Amino acid sequence: MSETVMQALEMLVQGMSGIFVVLGLIALMVVLLRKWGGKR
């Protein structure tokens, strides 16, 4: 594989991991808000 393809794949993996981190944080906030809302 050429270096440009490897670089593109690395960028894609980094971008996807970043998106997953953001989605995970949002899901975590939603779960916490639901728990707090349920207690009240």
Side-chain angles (χ1 to χ4, degrees):
M1 289 177 63
S2 60
E3 289 184 10
T4 53
V5 174
M6 290 297 294
Q7 285 178 353
L9 283 174
E10 282 183 11
M11 284 181 62
L12 184 68
V13 170
Q14 285 180 356
M16 284 184 64
S17 63
I19 291 172
F20 278 124
V21 169
V22 172
L23 287 175
L25 286 174
I26 292 173
L28 195 66
M29 285 177 61
V30 170
V31 170
L32 287 175
L33 286 173
R34 280 185 182 174
K35 281 185 180 180
W36 288 336
K39 284 182 182 178
R40 293 176 186 169

